[in-house]
Amino acid sequence: TAQGVADEKLSDLGSLIRQRLKLDWTVERQADAGGMSQRTFARRFAETFGTTPAQYVARIRLEAARAALEQTRQPLAQIARQCGLGSAETLRRRSHQSFRVAPADYRRRFGTRKSA
């Protein structure tokens, strides 16, 4: 039963992070949100998602930034702040690492023509 409760809390964590992208999602904060000790959280997290908590948060933030690039005309700096990436430079660096293309180029290729 305890395992099921922990898994449910971990499943809900992604939604919580998406709702509050700007927060500093440390392992401590994530463990608190999951109602677990940091050690238990880290172990269960790796078992459940096959990645680290930091990589998981980074992926969620980048997914949100990608959606904003596709659906809005907001400036890169604004998207970066809203998604918890901090700066346009961080967004550029992460975009290049993950998508192999700069955010502006990604927007040109996949974005809609909607306004901010």
Side-chain angles (χ1 to χ4, degrees), residues 74-82 86-88 91:
Q74 295 173 329
L76 296 182
Q78 184 177 353
I79 291 172
R81 283 190 307 272
Q82 288 174 345
S87 69
L91 173 58

Side-chain angles (χ1 to χ4, degrees), residues 13 17 23-33 38 41 53-54 57 61:
L13 184 61
I17 293 169
L23 284 180
D24 183 13
W25 283 104
T26 61
V27 172
E28 180 180 10
R29 178 169 278 161
Q30 291 178 63
D32 286 346
Q38 289 182 41
F41 173 79
V57 171
R61 287 180 170 153

